[in-house]
PDB file of all heavy atoms in Angstrom:
ATOM      1  N   VAL A 269      64.433  38.763 457.883  1.00 96.00           N
ATOM      2  CA  VAL A 269      65.120  39.898 457.282  1.00 96.00           C
ATOM      3  C   VAL A 269      64.938  40.007 455.802  1.00 96.00           C
ATOM      4  O   VAL A 269      64.676  39.031 455.075  1.00 96.00           O
ATOM      5  CB  VAL A 269      66.583  39.964 457.646  1.00 96.00           C
ATOM      6  CG1 VAL A 269      66.787  40.130 459.105  1.00 96.00           C
ATOM      7  CG2 VAL A 269      67.280  38.673 457.119  1.00 96.00           C
ATOM      8  N   VAL A 270      65.137  41.189 455.302  1.00 94.00           N
ATOM      9  CA  VAL A 270      65.203  41.451 453.865  1.00 94.00           C
ATOM     10  C   VAL A 270      66.439  42.323 453.667  1.00 94.00           C
ATOM     11  O   VAL A 270      66.649  43.240 454.477  1.00 94.00           O
ATOM     12  CB  VAL A 270      63.954  42.225 453.380  1.00 94.00           C
ATOM     13  CG1 VAL A 270      64.069  42.676 451.945  1.00 94.00           C
ATOM     14  CG2 VAL A 270      62.706  41.377 453.592  1.00 94.00           C
ATOM     15  N   GLY A 271      67.203  42.057 452.654  1.00 92.00           N
ATOM     16  CA  GLY A 271      68.398  42.931 452.408  1.00 92.00           C
ATOM     17  C   GLY A 271      68.310  43.610 451.122  1.00 92.00           C
ATOM     18  O   GLY A 271      67.565  43.195 450.211  1.00 92.00           O
ATOM     19  N   SER A 272      68.962  44.757 451.015  1.00 92.00           N
ATOM     20  CA  SER A 272      68.945  45.456 449.731  1.00 92.00           C
ATOM     21  C   SER A 272      70.116  46.447 449.680  1.00 92.00           C
ATOM     22  O   SER A 272      70.440  47.059 450.653  1.00 92.00           O
ATOM     23  CB  SER A 272      67.607  46.205 449.547  1.00 92.00           C
ATOM     24  OG  SER A 272      67.793  46.995 448.389  1.00 92.00           O
ATOM     25  N   ASP A 273      70.688  46.611 448.512  1.00 86.00           N
ATOM     26  CA  ASP A 273      71.731  47.650 448.375  1.00 86.00           C
ATOM     27  C   ASP A 273      71.245  48.726 447.366  1.00 86.00           C
ATOM     28  O   ASP A 273      72.048  49.488 446.949  1.00 86.00           O
ATOM     29  CB  ASP A 273      73.046  46.997 447.895  1.00 86.00           C
ATOM     30  CG  ASP A 273      72.831  46.017 446.754  1.00 86.00           C
ATOM     31  OD1 ASP A 273      71.739  46.038 446.139  1.00 86.00           O
ATOM     32  OD2 ASP A 273      73.696  45.169 446.535  1.00 86.00           O
ATOM     33  N   LYS A 274      69.956  48.734 447.192  1.00 90.00           N
ATOM     34  CA  LYS A 274      69.407  49.775 446.245  1.00 90.00           C
ATOM     35  C   LYS A 274      68.567  50.761 447.040  1.00 90.00           C
ATOM     36  O   LYS A 274      67.838  50.372 447.950  1.00 90.00           O
ATOM     37  CB  LYS A 274      68.586  49.166 445.167  1.00 90.00           C
ATOM     38  CG  LYS A 274      69.328  48.330 444.156  1.00 90.00           C
ATOM     39  CD  LYS A 274      68.573  48.177 442.853  1.00 90.00           C
ATOM     40  CE  LYS A 274      69.390  47.501 441.821  1.00 90.00           C
ATOM     41  NZ  LYS A 274      69.689  46.135 442.109  1.00 90.00           N
ATOM     42  N   GLU A 275      68.712  52.013 446.645  1.00 90.00           N
ATOM     43  CA  GLU A 275      67.925  53.067 447.342  1.00 90.00           C
ATOM     44  C   GLU A 275      66.776  53.538 446.518  1.00 90.00           C
ATOM     45  O   GLU A 275      66.844  53.614 445.305  1.00 90.00           O
ATOM     46  CB  GLU A 275      68.854  54.266 447.592  1.00 90.00           C
ATOM     47  CG  GLU A 275      69.800  54.029 448.743  1.00 90.00           C
ATOM     48  CD  GLU A 275      70.553  55.308 449.110  1.00 90.00           C
ATOM     49  OE1 GLU A 275      70.582  56.277 448.274  1.00 90.00           O
ATOM     50  OE2 GLU A 275      71.089  55.372 450.231  1.00 90.00           O
ATOM     51  N   TYR A 276      65.706  53.852 447.166  1.00 90.00           N
ATOM     52  CA  TYR A 276      64.491  54.439 446.514  1.00 90.00           C
ATOM     53  C   TYR A 276      64.013  55.612 447.272  1.00 90.00           C
ATOM     54  O   TYR A 276      64.290  55.771 448.457  1.00 90.00           O
ATOM     55  CB  TYR A 276      63.387  53.344 446.437  1.00 90.00           C
ATOM     56  CG  TYR A 276      63.742  52.227 445.531  1.00 90.00           C
ATOM     57  CD1 TYR A 276      64.222  51.037 446.033  1.00 90.00           C
ATOM     58  CD2 TYR A 276      63.603  52.358 444.127  1.00 90.00           C
ATOM     59  CE1 TYR A 276      64.622  49.982 445.197  1.00 90.00           C
ATOM     60  CE2 TYR A 276      63.958  51.350 443.261  1.00 90.00           C
ATOM     61  CZ  TYR A 276      64.429  50.154 443.793  1.00 90.00           C
ATOM     62  OH  TYR A 276      64.801  49.115 442.994  1.00 90.00           O
ATOM     63  N   GLN A 277      63.243  56.433 446.602  1.00 88.00           N
ATOM     64  CA  GLN A 277      62.630  57.633 447.200  1.00 88.00           C
ATOM     65  C   GLN A 277      61.252  57.280 447.681  1.00 88.00           C
ATOM     66  O   GLN A 277      60.404  56.860 446.886  1.00 88.00           O
ATOM     67  CB  GLN A 277      62.543  58.684 446.150  1.00 88.00           C
ATOM     68  CG  GLN A 277      62.301  60.048 446.731  1.00 88.00           C
ATOM     69  CD  GLN A 277      63.538  60.869 446.962  1.00 88.00           C
ATOM     70  OE1 GLN A 277      64.676  60.323 446.896  1.00 88.00           O
ATOM     71  NE2 GLN A 277      63.410  62.103 447.246  1.00 88.00           N
ATOM     72  N   VAL A 278      61.026  57.266 449.031  1.00 86.00           N
ATOM     73  CA  VAL A 278      59.679  57.023 449.556  1.00 86.00           C
ATOM     74  C   VAL A 278      59.324  58.180 450.469  1.00 86.00           C
ATOM     75  O   VAL A 278      60.091  58.388 451.467  1.00 86.00           O
ATOM     76  CB  VAL A 278      59.664  55.671 450.275  1.00 86.00           C
ATOM     77  CG1 VAL A 278      58.338  55.510 451.008  1.00 86.00           C
ATOM     78  CG2 VAL A 278      59.858  54.506 449.327  1.00 86.00           C
ATOM     79  N   ASN A 279      58.213  58.811 450.216  1.00 87.00           N
ATOM     80  CA  ASN A 279      57.772  59.928 451.059  1.00 87.00           C
ATOM     81  C   ASN A 279      58.913  60.989 451.261  1.00 87.00           C
ATOM     82  O   ASN A 279      59.106  61.446 452.349  1.00 87.00           O
ATOM     83  CB  ASN A 279      57.335  59.434 452.445  1.00 87.00           C
ATOM     84  CG  ASN A 279      56.065  58.576 452.351  1.00 87.00           C
ATOM     85  OD1 ASN A 279      55.318  58.759 451.442  1.00 87.00           O
ATOM     86  ND2 ASN A 279      55.936  57.661 453.290  1.00 87.00           N
ATOM     87  N   GLY A 280      59.612  61.254 450.186  1.00 88.00           N
ATOM     88  CA  GLY A 280      60.625  62.274 450.272  1.00 88.00           C
ATOM     89  C   GLY A 280      61.878  61.850 450.887  1.00 88.00           C
ATOM     90  O   GLY A 280      62.840  62.636 450.977  1.00 88.00           O
ATOM     91  N   LYS A 281      61.939  60.582 451.373  1.00 89.00           N
ATOM     92  CA  LYS A 281      63.224  60.129 451.983  1.00 89.00           C
ATOM     93  C   LYS A 281      63.845  59.098 451.061  1.00 89.00           C
ATOM     94  O   LYS A 281      63.171  58.337 450.394  1.00 89.00           O
ATOM     95  CB  LYS A 281      62.928  59.445 453.332  1.00 89.00           C
ATOM     96  CG  LYS A 281      62.597  60.451 454.442  1.00 89.00           C
ATOM     97  CD  LYS A 281      62.777  59.827 455.824  1.00 89.00           C
ATOM     98  CE  LYS A 281      61.839  58.661 456.021  1.00 89.00           C
ATOM     99  NZ  LYS A 281      62.012  58.018 457.316  1.00 89.00           N
ATOM    100  N   ARG A 282      65.170  59.049 451.167  1.00 90.00           N
ATOM    101  CA  ARG A 282      65.865  57.983 450.421  1.00 90.00           C
ATOM    102  C   ARG A 282      66.033  56.778 451.357  1.00 90.00           C
ATOM    103  O   ARG A 282      66.655  56.922 452.430  1.00 90.00           O
ATOM    104  CB  ARG A 282      67.223  58.477 449.923  1.00 90.00           C
ATOM    105  CG  ARG A 282      67.043  59.446 448.735  1.00 90.00           C
ATOM    106  CD  ARG A 282      68.285  59.554 447.905  1.00 90.00           C
ATOM    107  NE  ARG A 282      68.611  58.381 447.095  1.00 90.00           N
ATOM    108  CZ  ARG A 282      68.007  58.004 446.008  1.00 90.00           C
ATOM    109  NH1 ARG A 282      66.962  58.743 445.521  1.00 90.00           N
ATOM    110  NH2 ARG A 282      68.324  56.942 445.320  1.00 90.00           N
ATOM    111  N   ILE A 283      65.468  55.665 450.974  1.00 91.00           N
ATOM    112  CA  ILE A 283      65.624  54.477 451.797  1.00 91.00           C
ATOM    113  C   ILE A 283      66.047  53.271 450.997  1.00 91.00           C
ATOM    114  O   ILE A 283      65.879  53.163 449.819  1.00 91.00           O
ATOM    115  CB  ILE A 283      64.205  54.169 452.468  1.00 91.00           C
ATOM    116  CG1 ILE A 283      63.133  54.115 451.369  1.00 91.00           C
ATOM    117  CG2 ILE A 283      63.795  55.170 453.499  1.00 91.00           C
ATOM    118  CD1 ILE A 283      62.726  52.698 451.000  1.00 91.00           C
TER     119      ILE A 283
END
Side-chain angles (χ1 to χ4, degrees):
Chain A
V269 296
V270 173
S272 172
D273 45 16
K274 290 202 174 65
E275 285 188 340
Y276 293 98
Q277 193 95 348
V278 171
N279 294 334
K281 287 200 296 179
R282 285 201 72 75
I283 50 103

